[in-house]
Amino acid sequence: DVKVTQSSRYLVKRTGEKVFLECVQDMDHENMFWYRQDPGLGLRLIYFSYDVKMKEKGDIPEGYSVSREKKERFSLILESASTNQTSMYLCASSTPLFEQFFGPGTRLTVL
Amino acid sequence: DQQVKQNSPSLSVQEGRISILNCDYTNSMFDYFLWYKKYPAEGPTFLISISSIKDKNEDGRFTVFLNKSAKHLSLHIVPSQPGDSAVYFCAATKRKGTGNQFYFGTGTSLTVIP
């Protein structure tokens, strides 16, 4: 059974803190993605990676960075969290040609 | 710029009837289209997909139709069941580098009334 796991389901941080969101997949997928989901805006792509140490900006990369040192792990970093980064964060992985598999999401609140 | 659009934020259907969810896109370079289903507090799960070279794909109660000339796709659920109540996202992909970039719509919340 395929699996994408995210390090936390719920997270509360303070403005200005550095935040790490971790994602691990066990399917040996090349591609991994970070999205945020906000009401009325759907899923918006922050960053994606199609190989180890490779990364591509998505539609809303500002305020975020990513790290992919190993194939199975893709980390999203908020260098200095702000209240407008309060959101549901979803990680996904896929093969180059097929559908994505999503993790359960991390609900991040920035106070 | 939203390249994939779902213009109906919500839809209510009686149990046993047909649910039709619609999706429009603007980019003719998309080569694959997908529907995802999302329950609250869970990640989206893949439901059904269709290649741009086809116009219909069926999987049990779920059928996706693609009209390339109109840049429109739809998901039909027949018969609808209360367990189908969820948010449905339409997505499209195109190649970027050696991978695929996915573009999602804003979602349609389906409520199936028992």
Side-chain angles (χ1 to χ4, degrees):
Chain A
D1 196 18
V2 298
K3 208 163 185 183
V4 179
T5 56
Q6 294 182 229
S7 50
S8 304
R9 291 300 301 271
Y10 300 93
L11 211 51
V12 180
K13 296 291 181 181
R14 298 212 172 270
T15 302
E17 279 192 80
K18 190 169 186 175
V19 182
F20 292 87
L21 302 182
E22 302 282 340
C23 175
V24 177
Q25 52 99 359
D26 64 1
M27 296 164 283
D28 201 35
H29 285 167
E30 291 86 356
N31 297 345
M32 295 188 75
F33 307 79
W34 274 106
Y35 296 88
R36 61 178 282 178
Q37 183 195 1
D38 301 288
L41 297 176
L43 275 68
R44 293 182 293 166
L45 181 65
I46 305 171
Y47 268 96
F48 73 105
S49 167
Y50 50 81
D51 203 350
V52 176
K53 297 191 187 295
M54 306 292 284
K55 60 185 179 184
E56 287 270 355
K57 290 181 179 179
D59 299 319
I60 50 164
E62 296 79 19
Y64 303 94
S65 62
V66 290
S67 172
R68 191 156 180 212
E69 297 296 320
K70 294 184 177 182
K71 191 175 186 180
E72 67 271 18
R73 189 180 296 270
F74 192 34
S75 303
L76 180 69
I77 303 153
L78 287 66
E79 293 291 339
S80 178
S82 62
T83 54
N84 63 12
Q85 292 178 310
T86 292
S87 186
M88 168 70 85
Y89 289 87
L90 291 160
C91 174
S93 72
S94 77
T95 60
L97 294 176
F98 220 72
E99 79 272 15
Q100 294 175 312
F101 296 87
F102 283 86
T106 296
R107 172 72 66 185
L108 173 67
T109 301
V110 183
L111 302 175
Chain B
D1 180 29
Q2 193 80 19
Q3 297 190 49
V4 178
K5 298 176 184 177
Q6 294 175 256
N7 292 318
S8 298
S10 63
L11 176 68
S12 290
V13 172
Q14 286 291 135
E15 181 178 3
R17 307 293 290 267
I18 184 171
S19 295
I20 300 176
L21 294 91
N22 293 305
C23 179
D24 297 295
Y25 62 95
T26 58
N27 194 330
S28 57
M29 298 301 292
F30 290 141
D31 51 14
Y32 216 75
F33 302 90
L34 309 96
W35 284 94
Y36 285 82
K37 177 178 178 180
K38 186 180 184 301
Y39 294 115
E42 293 182 15
T45 55
F46 169 73
L47 196 56
I48 192 169
S49 63
I50 187 167
S51 164
S52 60
I53 62 172
K54 297 191 173 183
D55 55 18
K56 179 182 175 181
N57 188 28
E58 196 170 348
D59 183 3
R61 297 186 296 114
F62 302 92
T63 303
V64 57
F65 295 92
L66 176 63
N67 182 335
K68 284 188 71 176
S69 61
K71 294 190 175 71
H72 177 84
L73 66 154
S74 60
L75 174 68
H76 292 209
I77 307 173
V78 183
S80 301
Q81 299 173 355
D84 296 330
S85 297
V87 177
Y88 289 78
F89 290 98
C90 167
T93 76
K94 65 177 183 178
R95 299 291 295 181
K96 185 164 184 178
T98 60
N100 276 323
Q101 185 164 353
F102 289 70
Y103 297 82
F104 284 83
T106 52
T108 296
S109 178
L110 172 67
T111 301
V112 179
I113 303 163

